[in-house]
Amino acid sequence: MRLLEDQAEEVHSDQAREQLADLAEQKTIPQLRKEVDAAAVDTGAAVTSERRIRDVQAQLDDIEQAIEVPGLQRELWDLLSSCEDVMEQTGGGPSDRRELQNMRERASSLGDDATPADLRRLVKRAGEFHVELLRRTDQWEYVVFRALVEMRDDMFSRAQADAAILEGRRAVAAGNRRALAGVNERLRRLLPPGAAEEAERMTGGIN
């Protein structure tokens, strides 16, 4: 309960805070513990206890959802704003603007009824669109390099990784995108399969 309370405070979820306060006021968890103890020696109490456990679990699931939704909403709107920023820099075409508008309308239409699953799908769609826009800019190789540097600890040879990262930083300082692209490919080859897939997810593919 304490962990949920801390998480609710962190994301400023009034709904979760109210639901947690209700559970505390009703002494739901202490009462449930008593019912579980009684169930060990009383068949009738066992049936009641099982039903109560399901009810409390459903309440906790609702609270967890109320905590998760605000964070996903912020992530989504931040991504959409980032997409708009990139489009302002690159002059996105009509189809790009339609796609962004469609996602904004979808995000708005979800409103207070948004579920984590709905939001995760839209976050994924917005993230992929953001990557697609970035790939058209002259900043793409720099974005990829930063993502790969963060994965340095996962690479097969840290010595080779450090050497490539140093070379990459020199390329960044010199504004040499072609050299940086070569560094990115070397770093990618140092990743194990699972981490390589994560790199693909983070950057939408490096090739």
Side-chain angles (χ1 to χ4, degrees), residues 77 102-114 118 122:
W77 285 105
N102 287 340
M103 285 190 287
R104 285 186 178 279
E105 290 174 358
R106 175 59 177 155
S108 297
S109 70
L110 290 174
D112 294 335
D113 296 327
D118 290 333
L122 200 48

Side-chain angles (χ1 to χ4, degrees), residues 17 25 31 38 47 52 57 61 92 101-102 109-110 115 148 153 156 170 174 177-179 188 206:
R17 284 191 290 233
E25 184 177 348
Q31 181 60 35
V47 174
R52 286 282 292 151
Q57 186 59 58
D61 288 344
Q101 183 60 30
N102 287 340
S109 70
L110 290 174
T115 67
L148 289 168
D153 290 344
F156 288 122
R170 288 172 178 158
R177 282 185 290 140
R178 178 173 294 183
R188 185 170 181 269
I206 298 175

Side-chain angles (χ1 to χ4, degrees), residues 28-198:
T28 301
I29 301 301
Q31 181 60 35
L32 180 59
R33 290 196 185 103
K34 292 179 182 178
E35 292 176 5
V36 170
D37 290 340
V41 294
D42 185 332
T43 303
V47 174
T48 300
S49 172
E50 185 176 346
R51 184 171 60 249
R52 286 282 292 151
I53 288 172
R54 287 197 299 269
D55 290 344
V56 171
Q57 186 59 58
Q59 288 177 279
L60 292 175
D61 288 344
D62 287 344
I63 291 169
E64 288 177 354
Q65 177 169 309
I67 289 171
E68 189 175 4
V69 163
L72 287 168
Q73 287 174 326
R74 281 197 298 274
E75 182 180 0
L76 173 58
W77 285 105
D78 285 348
L79 268 172
L80 294 176
S81 294
S82 295
C83 288
E84 186 168 8
D85 289 343
V86 176
M87 287 170 60
E88 287 179 358
Q89 295 170 17
T90 61
S95 62
D96 293 331
R97 299 199 174 278
R98 280 195 300 272
E99 175 67 5
L100 180 58
Q101 183 60 30
N102 287 340
M103 285 190 287
R104 285 186 178 279
E105 290 174 358
R106 175 59 177 155
S108 297
S109 70
L110 290 174
D112 294 335
D113 296 327
T115 67
D118 290 333
L119 290 167
R120 279 193 290 269
R121 281 193 293 270
L122 200 48
V123 164
K124 182 175 184 292
R125 179 179 166 191
E128 290 171 348
F129 183 57
H130 186 230
V131 165
E132 180 184 335
L133 293 172
L134 282 172
R135 289 178 74 98
R136 304 177 201 166
T137 73
D138 58 6
Q139 296 300 306
W140 175 244
E141 295 298 344
Y142 301 98
V143 172
V144 172
F145 179 65
R146 286 195 296 270
L148 289 168
V149 168
E150 290 179 4
M151 304 183 76
R152 175 258 187 194
D153 290 344
D154 296 325
M155 294 179 182
F156 288 122
S157 169
R158 293 187 182 178
Q160 291 182 51
D162 288 342
I165 288 170
L166 179 59
E167 185 177 334
R169 285 176 175 152
R170 288 172 178 158
V172 169
N176 189 336
R177 282 185 290 140
R178 178 173 294 183
L180 188 59
V183 169
N184 287 340
E185 185 57 32
R186 283 164 53 195
L187 288 171
R188 185 170 181 269
R189 286 198 295 265
L190 291 174
L191 288 169
E197 291 170 6
E198 175 66 8

